[in-house]
Amino acid sequence: EEEVKKHMLQNIFSLKSPFLERISIVDSDRMAGKTSIVKFDSGNVVSREGEEADRFYFVYSGTLSVEKSTGEADNGEQQRRRKVGSLYPGDYFGEMALINQTKRLATITATSNAV
């Protein structure tokens, strides 16, 4: 598990994104110390649209589905969702909700076992 964490951190801080560009070396070291590896079984929801954001995720392995609410309800009175994308190893998500201090903009679900 420590090897996975080390590899993940080496990759994540080399990515270019508005979120990561704002992180100083001191802050990246602090983040590294708080990094945790989370495993999701296929079908598990990682985060739900509308939830408060408290972390962002880097996909080390597996695949995930990105879905947004259509604003319509199905017969069971639940919100319908439509798939708007997929995430694969090397992708990351959730940083925009942290940057903008907003709620999650999409529901992310593991479509295979994922780390």
Side-chain angles (χ1 to χ4, degrees):
E1 193 164 290
E2 282 304 310
E3 278 303 308
V4 170
K5 186 175 177 179
K6 198 179 296 185
H7 183 261
M8 179 182 70
L9 291 173
Q10 288 170 347
N11 286 305
I12 200 162
F13 293 114
S14 67
L15 297 172
K16 297 289 183 202
S17 82
F19 175 69
L20 297 173
E21 289 174 356
R22 295 180 187 183
I23 298 173
S24 70
I25 292 172
V26 171
D27 288 337
S28 69
D29 286 345
R30 198 169 339 143
M31 281 179 67
K34 294 183 178 189
T35 299
S36 58
I37 295 173
V38 183
K39 298 175 182 177
F40 295 96
D41 292 331
S42 182
N44 286 151
V45 173
V46 177
S47 63
R48 291 188 190 282
E49 184 175 1
E51 286 181 336
E52 295 293 327
D54 61 351
R55 66 187 71 182
F56 85 103
Y57 298 87
F58 174 79
V59 182
Y60 183 76
S61 66
T63 57
L64 301 107
S65 175
V66 181
E67 297 178 326
K68 291 194 56 80
S69 169
T70 64
E72 301 172 2
D74 63 18
N75 291 339
E77 299 302 318
Q78 293 187 13
Q79 288 284 324
R80 289 187 184 172
R81 295 182 291 173
R82 67 180 170 88
K83 185 175 178 176
V84 296
S86 296
L87 298 164
Y88 303 97
D91 290 337
Y92 55 95
F93 62 96
E95 80 282 4
M96 294 311 295
L98 288 176
I99 290 170
N100 298 320
Q101 297 179 347
T102 59
K103 296 186 179 199
R104 298 284 184 201
L105 300 175
T107 296
I108 310 297
T109 304
T111 54
S112 70
N113 293 343
V115 175

